[in-house]
Amino acid sequence: MKKVLLFLLTLLPLLVSGQVKRTIHVETAGTLPTLISGEEKYEIEELTLSGELNGTDFKFIREMAGVNDKVCKEFDGDWIKWVEYIPTEGILKSLNLAESKIVSGGEPYYYEGDKPITGSAWIEKYYTAADAISSYLFARTIIESIILPNSITSIGSRIFYNCSQLKSITIPKNVTEISNGAFTNCPGLTSIIVESGNQKYDSRNNCNAIIDNNNQLIAGCKTTIIPNSVTSIVGLAFSGCSGLTSFTIPNNVKSIGEGAFSGCSGLNSINIPDDVTSIDVMVFSDCSSLTSITIPNNVTSIGDRAFQNCSSLIYVTLPGTLTSIGSLAFYRCINLTDVYCSAENVPSAEATAFYELHNISLHVPYASRDAYKTTIPWNVFKSYLVLSSTDTQESTKCSKPKISIVDGKVTFDCETSYVTYHWSISSPSGTNGNSYNMSMGLLPITIYVYATKDGYQNSEVATYKFSGLVGDVDG
């Protein structure tokens, strides 16, 4: 009995900490499925490959890494086809492809096509291309770390789309082309390194980002620190980076591309540099934690859906230089209570710019108030208040208020004296206003408040989530 027990204790560390690792040379592209047995396929956690790989091999790798793309069909008077992404038992977390070479050919490695309401989806098929990491190659997998082939020269869009467990990536020195959105929806990504010797891209100053020769930031992650040398952020650079909470953009940045911060659901504060002249399409859409935004004075246009689904947004400050606002720019900003616009000439705005938003106060210059009241869609606001002369000038910022509950009552406090508090309450039912009937029993509720004072800039927004017990206070 003692000998058996001793054997089990000796074996236990291997069972607990042991990882199945394999190193395989693929002599002929498309043959990887014949080199790994059915039992091993879902047991390998670390895999090193060399030789030539095509679409057939990558379809197999994707299945080892937790996902199988299945084209489904059903008959409803006609054949309806769509794609579902079925989880597998694969546990592949680490993949080393440094000595491999990607070639064209083989079967599709990825399919795309949502189930339609009527008719069939357009099924898009993706194939490998020589010396390229093609679009969606590792999308939806559970891979945590990967070493890309030394021979690749281009990287497609969304190659790691929805790779929630991806932590680190190194870009080889021979890469000369990287598409926008390569790392979309990679919330766990913390390390991005460009190999030294790359002639077009770098990750200067250990910034955890990819920057090109023109000082454009191509891709970043939640640990990125943008160097002062960067002058623009391209489209989708941080898209889906839900781990990003607050962010400082250097003053040298002059442009921010389409959807650059879309889906950054944890982002609660961000600055926009003074030299930016336009807010691009969907640039901050689905930033559901963003509570306030101040658009700088040189901005002339706000694009379509720029702040769509920013459900925690409480107030917006628009500059006097603004001339146009696109469609659905503030759609579903359900907690928006105040818009401060210092433009004396009413900016042109698409009819849906403030779609389904009615419980909002608009603060505008006195001489322009009547014009705003009679101009579509500016005529949908609840009230029209006059900006003070200091609202359009640089000034000291009010301190962020503190929220507390004393003797069952909500109280506000601010280090800046004699401020006016602007507050609202939201609930799971979608209620948004300055009162809430607790007997409705819909908890938790969220209390939002910010402070204003003549001669001061508006404070940041403080929030308090109340679930029936006194909890943590933001601010």
Side-chain angles (χ1 to χ4, degrees):
M1 182 65 182
K2 289 182 179 179
K3 291 182 179 180
V4 174
L5 180 59
L6 179 62
F7 173 76
L8 289 175
L9 290 173
T10 304
L11 183 62
L12 185 60
L14 297 176
L15 294 174
V16 173
S17 62
Q19 297 174 337
V20 178
K21 304 178 183 180
R22 286 292 306 273
T23 298
I24 298 174
H25 178 74
V26 182
E27 186 68 32
T28 304
T31 61
L32 179 62
T34 67
L35 303 176
I36 296 177
S37 69
E39 291 182 358
E40 281 187 302
K41 180 178 180 180
Y42 295 137
E43 295 177 350
I44 296 175
E45 193 166 352
E46 295 185 23
L47 180 63
T48 299
L49 296 175
S50 59
E52 296 190 345
L53 305 172
N54 66 14
T56 301
D57 302 307
F58 279 104
K59 185 178 188 304
F60 190 77
I61 291 171
R62 288 174 53 77
E63 292 170 3
M64 293 178 67
V67 65
N68 179 29
D69 312 339
K70 181 180 179 181
V71 177
C72 305
K73 63 180 181 178
E74 64 183 28
F75 189 78
D76 186 16
D78 196 2
W79 283 107
I80 300 173
K81 294 182 180 181
W82 70 95
V83 179
E84 289 185 1
Y85 304 98
I86 311 298
T88 71
E89 296 177 1
I91 59 172
L92 180 63
K93 299 289 183 67
S94 178
L95 182 62
N96 185 340
L97 301 175
E99 300 304 319
S100 64
K101 181 177 177 61
I102 300 176
V103 298
S104 59
E107 59 187 304
Y109 61 81
Y110 185 82
Y111 296 85
E112 185 181 25
D114 294 332
K115 186 175 183 178
I117 297 176
T118 59
S120 286
W122 174 262
I123 305 297
E124 186 79 20
K125 300 177 182 179
Y126 291 83
Y127 297 87
T128 53
D131 295 326
I133 300 293
S134 301
S135 298
Y136 295 101
L137 191 58
F138 301 105
R140 306 176 190 272
T141 63
I142 62 171
I143 288 175
E144 293 181 1
S145 64
I146 185 169
I147 300 175
L148 299 176
N150 294 326
S151 59
I152 65 167
T153 58
S154 68
I155 293 176
S157 63
R158 293 178 168 84
I159 57 168
F160 292 106
Y161 177 71
N162 272 2
C163 287
S164 60
Q165 298 185 44
L166 183 68
K167 297 177 181 177
S168 62
I169 183 72
T170 298
I171 307 299
K173 64 181 180 181
N174 291 320
V175 172
T176 58
E177 180 182 356
I178 301 176
S179 299
N180 291 4
F183 307 113
T184 296
N185 285 21
C186 293
L189 186 61
T190 57
S191 175
I192 303 176
I193 298 172
V194 178
E195 195 174 68
S196 61
N198 190 295
Q199 298 300 304
K200 185 172 181 180
Y201 301 104
D202 64 79
S203 49
R204 65 194 69 166
N205 304 334
N206 298 316
C207 62
N208 282 320
I210 302 171
I211 302 168
D212 71 8
N213 290 342
N214 295 319
N215 294 317
Q216 298 183 111
L217 190 146
I218 306 300
C221 64
K222 64 181 180 180
T223 59
T224 294
I225 298 176
I226 303 181
N228 289 328
S229 55
V230 169
T231 57
S232 67
I233 300 172
V234 307
L236 303 176
F238 292 90
S239 179
C241 186
S242 58
L244 196 66
T245 56
S246 62
F247 205 64
T248 300
I249 302 176
N251 289 331
N252 289 332
V253 171
K254 295 176 173 59
S255 65
I256 304 174
E258 180 176 333
F261 293 92
S262 60
C264 292
S265 58
L267 186 66
N268 55 53
S269 66
I270 192 167
N271 70 298
I272 300 175
D274 291 340
D275 287 341
V276 171
T277 58
S278 66
I279 304 299
D280 215 328
V281 173
M282 297 183 72
V283 74
F284 295 109
S285 65
D286 297 290
C287 290
S288 55
S289 296
L290 194 63
T291 55
S292 66
I293 193 77
T294 297
I295 310 296
N297 275 329
N298 288 322
V299 169
T300 59
S301 64
I302 296 175
D304 297 346
R305 302 178 186 269
F307 298 96
Q308 175 181 276
N309 286 333
C310 290
S311 55
S312 295
L313 196 62
I314 301 300
Y315 76 82
V316 177
T317 302
L318 306 177
T321 53
L322 187 66
T323 59
S324 67
I325 302 178
S327 63
L328 301 171
F330 296 96
Y331 181 48
R332 290 180 179 168
C333 294
I334 57 174
N335 284 300
L336 189 63
T337 61
D338 292 272
V339 174
Y340 296 81
C341 183
S342 56
E344 294 186 355
N345 296 318
V346 181
S348 65
E350 294 292 332
T352 58
F354 304 101
Y355 187 58
E356 292 185 352
L357 300 176
H358 305 292
N359 193 31
I360 306 173
S361 296
L362 177 65
H363 305 249
V364 294
Y366 174 78
S368 308
R369 185 167 58 169
D370 289 342
Y372 277 94
K373 284 183 177 181
T374 57
T375 302
I376 298 174
W378 298 94
N379 60 348
V380 302
F381 289 85
K382 176 185 70 174
S383 59
Y384 297 81
L385 306 177
V386 176
L387 287 173
S388 68
S389 59
T390 54
D391 284 327
T392 59
Q393 299 172 2
E394 291 294 328
S395 55
T396 303
K397 193 172 189 176
C398 288
S399 297
K400 186 178 180 180
K402 295 183 181 296
I403 307 172
S404 57
I405 296 179
V406 179
D407 296 330
K409 296 181 180 180
V410 177
T411 63
F412 306 135
D413 184 45
C414 185
E415 291 181 2
T416 306
S417 59
Y418 304 112
V419 298
T420 300
Y421 297 109
H422 302 257
W423 60 281
S424 64
I425 298 173
S426 68
S427 75
S429 66
T431 301
N432 176 28
N434 297 116
S435 63
Y436 184 72
N437 185 351
M438 296 298 291
S439 65
M440 295 172 64
L442 293 173
L443 295 174
I445 62 171
T446 303
I447 302 168
Y448 302 91
V449 63
Y450 69 96
T452 62
K453 181 178 179 179
D454 193 21
Y456 287 71
Q457 293 182 35
N458 296 351
S459 74
E460 296 177 14
V461 176
T463 61
Y464 187 106
K465 292 186 177 180
F466 179 73
S467 58
L469 298 173
V470 178
D472 293 332
V473 177
D474 173 21

